[in-house]
Amino acid sequence: TPAEGKRIIAEFNKVYPFIKVNYWRGEGEEIASKQEMEFIAGRTSNDMAVGGEPVNYPRWRKMGMLEKFTDIIPEIKNIDKKMYSKYGDWVMPGNNAQTPAYNTKLVSAAEAPKNWEDLINPKWKGQQLGLPIDPKTWWTLALAEGGWGIEKAIDFATKLKAQNPIMCKGMVEGHTLLVAGEFKIYTNGYLRHVLLSQEKGAAVDWARVKPVSITGSSFTLQKKAPHPNAARLFLEWQFSPQGLVVYEAITGKGAAFPGSGTRLSKTLEGLTLVYRTEEIEMKAVEMGLDKKFSEILGMTQ
């Protein structure tokens, strides 16, 4: 959000007060379109961006639009390789972890899911589950290293649909309905929403399943950036231990990989993480898995 962006900039300026940072906010594909059109027109106005879907990255590389920068990050050897590009041109500053969550007034700790398979137990059939209208979690679990494989993921999705879950328009709406008691279990919400709600005294908890699906937006650095050195300095700070902690404190999105020092990494300690990387997204597009899982789960009309 704009407020979060301003706070991150303010923290950066505590270290580098002589660098002025301007911020523009847009939706993912709005950001991507703006970047690409400006590059084609030869008038790039921004130095770097966070957002813009990874499916654009291969095309942008061919266009010569992305600058490599991961080599300037001092802690890059300690960061999980799935959090940054093998080409050196994008890095995730923070993540969303997706796990099942449950309303503790309606489900006891003993009854709560202990693994993903517990969601398809017949006892939860009949609109006791909430399901976000977003198939990404399922094809991530299908394709990611350490995940289920396509056959198991399709079988699971088919059985999950048979539970007759309540469809939720988005992650926030689904979590809100869970807290309100509209259903007992949310199949795959953002862990940070649960943690924030617990701080406010809400009756919610999360299931410590394996594997945990990890997503995140990425920073990219533009070729022909107007202020490349200042941008590199910002990126070096953003991906320092201090910068990662600041990013999580402000956005709620912490780096998930072990040893990052974030709250999220400590919360997920001991669990298997599977990342939705650029390669996973490209493979899902090539195989048409977004549509396939949407159809299986009844997310399309």
Side-chain angles (χ1 to χ4, degrees), residues 18 67 81 84 90 110 122 146 159 189 195 200 209 226 271 286:
F18 52 88
E67 185 69 83
K81 290 184 178 180
Y84 62 91
W90 60 258
K159 291 175 179 175
L195 299 178
K200 297 175 182 178
V209 297
L271 299 178
E286 291 168 7

Side-chain angles (χ1 to χ4, degrees), residues 42-293:
R43 51 178 179 82
T44 300
S45 65
N46 68 299
D47 299 294
M48 59 189 178
V50 58
E53 294 299 321
V55 292
N56 295 305
Y57 296 167
R59 183 177 71 258
W60 288 352
R61 268 184 215 108
K62 290 181 180 178
M63 293 170 60
M65 187 172 147
L66 298 180
E67 185 69 83
K68 295 181 179 181
F69 68 92
T70 57
D71 58 326
I72 67 171
I73 298 173
E75 303 292 324
I76 194 67
K77 291 182 180 178
N78 298 324
I79 296 177
D80 190 304
K81 290 184 178 180
K82 300 180 194 69
M83 280 192 65
Y84 62 91
S85 168
K86 64 182 180 182
Y87 302 102
D89 51 20
W90 60 258
V91 189
M92 297 181 194
N95 302 114
N96 274 312
Q98 294 186 335
T99 69
Y102 61 97
N103 186 307
T104 56
K105 290 182 179 179
L106 304 176
V107 179
S108 68
E111 291 180 293
K114 304 299 185 296
N115 49 59
W116 289 105
E117 287 73 15
D118 283 347
L119 296 177
I120 55 179
N121 188 311
K123 71 179 181 181
W124 303 123
K125 193 169 186 177
Q127 298 205 316
Q128 299 188 70
L129 304 176
L131 175 68
I133 302 176
D134 185 345
K136 294 185 180 69
T137 297
W138 312 112
W139 52 250
T140 298
L141 289 170
L143 297 174
E145 180 183 340
W148 294 341
I150 294 176
E151 185 177 342
K152 179 178 176 179
I154 288 176
D155 180 67
F156 181 89
T158 302
K159 291 175 179 175
L160 184 61
K161 173 57 180 174
Q163 296 287 70
N164 190 25
I166 295 173
M167 294 294 182
C168 308
K169 292 180 181 178
M171 293 295 181
V172 174
E173 178 186 284
H175 180 74
T176 302
L177 292 173
L178 174 70
V179 173
E182 292 298 316
F183 43 78
K184 296 179 179 179
I185 298 172
Y186 196 25
T187 59
N188 55 299
Y190 288 154
L191 175 54
R192 65 185 173 92
H193 290 163
V194 175
L195 299 178
L196 290 170
S197 292
Q198 286 179 332
E199 289 175 358
K200 297 175 182 178
V204 290
D205 204 351
W206 62 287
R208 288 148 181 80
V209 297
K210 295 181 183 179
V212 176
S213 177
I214 302 293
T215 67
S217 298
S218 301
F219 271 105
T220 54
L221 177 64
Q222 309 307 299
K223 276 277 179 76
K224 302 178 183 177
H227 314 94
N229 293 329
R232 286 174 179 270
L233 196 59
F234 180 91
L235 289 165
E236 183 179 338
W237 170 83
Q238 178 62 87
F239 291 99
S240 69
Q242 177 195 15
L244 291 176
V245 170
V246 165
Y247 192 84
E248 180 180 46
I250 292 174
T251 68
K253 301 173 184 176
F257 67 92
S260 63
T262 63
R263 178 186 182 185
L264 182 62
S265 67
K266 294 171 185 176
T267 302
L268 294 171
E269 194 171 331
L271 299 178
T272 304
L273 311 181
V274 294
Y275 291 83
R276 194 173 80 223
T277 63
E278 173 191 344
E279 289 75 21
I280 296 302
E281 293 222 16
M282 293 304 300
K283 192 171 182 180
V285 169
E286 291 168 7
M287 298 179 69
L289 293 185
D290 209 76
K291 181 180 180 182
K292 186 174 186 64
F293 277 95

